[in-house]
Amino acid sequence: MRRKWVGGNWKMNGSRAMTSSLAGAIVEARINGVEVALFPPFPYLREACAACAGSRIGVGGQDLSEHESGAFTGEVSAAMLRDVGCTLVLAGHSERRQYHKETDQQVASKVSQALEHGLTPVLCVGETLDERDAGHTAAVVSRQLDEVVSCCGIEAFARIVIAYEPVWAIGTGRCASAEQAQEVHALLRSQLARDDARIAGSTRIVYGGSVKPGNAAELFAQPDIDGGLIGGAALQATDFLSICAAAG
Ligand code: PGA
C-alpha cells in the first residue's frame, strides 16, 4: 500500500510574510494519513523550514544544480538545500525543461546530486500538447524516465517520487481526465516494473496539472495515482488543505 503524497509547488510567488502564514496554516491543520511537502522559492526556504519545524511537513527547493559546487553563478546546490533544512527537491519541472532548456541528461544529473545529498528528488516528466497530439506521449515520458533509470539505477526509485505533469495541463485550468492520467501512470509503473517489480510497486507516482479541490478526489482514486503536485491551488491554504484531505 503506497502512502499518498501531496506537494505544493509555489513557483515564483509569495513573500516572507506569505510563506510564514501559508506554511503555518498548513502545519496547524495537522493533516493525517498523507505525506505533505512545500516547495517555496529559494529565498523563503528558511521561513518555510521554520514554520514546518517539528511537524511532519517537508520543505523542498524547486530546482537544484547538477553540479556539486563551484563557479556556477546563480545556481543552488543539493548540499546548500540540505544545509538550510530541505529534505526534498523538484527536478526537471517542465518550466525548467521548457524555459531553461534543461535536457533529460541534466535532469538525471540533478536527481543524482539530490540522492547523493540525502534529498528526496521529485522527478517531473510530461509531454507537450504537440507531442500528445502527435501520439508521442508514451515515448516522451518513457525517454524522460529512462534517462534517470540509466543514470541512477532502478534501486534509486525507492527514494524518488515521480510527478507526471502533462505540460498542456499546467496552469491552464485544463486538467487531464482521470483516465488520461491513469493511463500514463500505469505506463510509467510498468516501465519501472520491467527492471524491478517490487520497487515499481512502491514508487509514488503523483499527478500535476490544474489539480483543484473539485477534481482531486477522482484523480487520487485511480489505482496508479498516488497524490499530486499542486501549483496554483497550493497558494490558498483552504484549497491546498482540501486537496490534501482528498488524498487522505
Ligand atoms: P498547476 O501547476 O497546478 O498550477 O497547474 C502544477 C505544477 O506546475 O506543478
Side-chain angles (χ1 to χ4, degrees):
M1 185 57 189
R2 295 180 297 272
R3 198 176 158 81
K4 290 268 196 287
W5 185 99
V6 177
N9 172 12
W10 296 3
K11 310 196 177 187
M12 199 172 73
N13 291 295
S15 61
R16 282 165 59 204
M18 178 272 213
T19 300
S20 298
S21 73
L22 182 53
I26 292 163
V27 168
E28 263 170 43
R30 298 189 196 289
I31 304 159
N32 271 319
V34 44
E35 236 173 278
V36 177
L38 304 177
F39 299 88
F42 289 136
Y44 307 140
L45 286 171
R46 209 179 133 114
E47 277 76 12
C49 288
C52 295
S55 79
R56 287 197 302 259
I57 296 177
V59 175
Q62 296 175 10
D63 182 32
L64 77 163
S65 173
E66 67 199 277
H67 304 288
E68 183 68 36
S69 66
F72 301 102
T73 302
E75 296 282 283
V76 171
S77 72
M80 292 169 185
L81 292 173
R82 271 301 288 217
D83 195 25
V84 296
C86 289
T87 52
L88 310 98
V89 66
L90 304 182
H93 188 279
S94 68
E95 287 150 19
R96 303 292 317 172
R97 294 183 191 258
Q98 213 177 344
Y99 306 140
H100 301 273
K101 306 284 172 268
E102 285 186 13
T103 63
D104 294 340
Q105 250 169 356
Q106 280 174 305
V107 173
S109 302
K110 289 180 180 210
V111 169
S112 163
Q113 273 295 318
L115 290 166
E116 234 172 82
H117 290 274
L119 295 166
T120 298
V122 181
L123 166 66
C124 305
V125 300
E127 81 287 4
T128 63
L129 188 57
D130 283 353
E131 289 164 340
R132 172 161 284 262
D133 288 345
H136 295 155
T137 300
V140 170
V141 298
S142 311
R143 189 202 70 219
Q144 291 171 337
L145 178 59
D146 205 40
E147 189 67 38
V148 179
V149 177
S150 309
C151 170
C152 304
I154 187 70
E155 297 75 26
F157 283 80
R159 293 168 52 206
I160 292 173
V161 173
I162 300 175
Y164 168 56
E165 299 207 302
V167 180
W168 48 272
I170 295 178
T172 58
R174 186 182 159 191
C175 184
S177 70
E179 296 71 32
Q180 280 175 322
Q182 165 59 27
E183 193 185 345
V184 178
H185 283 234
L187 190 137
L188 291 166
R189 198 179 304 286
S190 66
Q191 185 172 338
L192 293 177
R194 285 201 289 276
D195 287 329
D196 189 316
R198 191 185 52 82
I199 285 181
S202 66
T203 303
R204 262 87 59 87
I205 308 181
V206 305
Y207 169 82
S210 298
V211 178
K212 302 279 181 271
N215 59 20
E218 195 192 351
L219 287 159
F220 300 165
Q222 300 302 308
D224 289 295
I225 302 187
D226 306 313
L229 181 58
I230 320 302
L235 297 170
Q236 294 293 335
T238 45
D239 284 357
F240 186 70
L241 289 170
S242 79
I243 292 169
C244 292

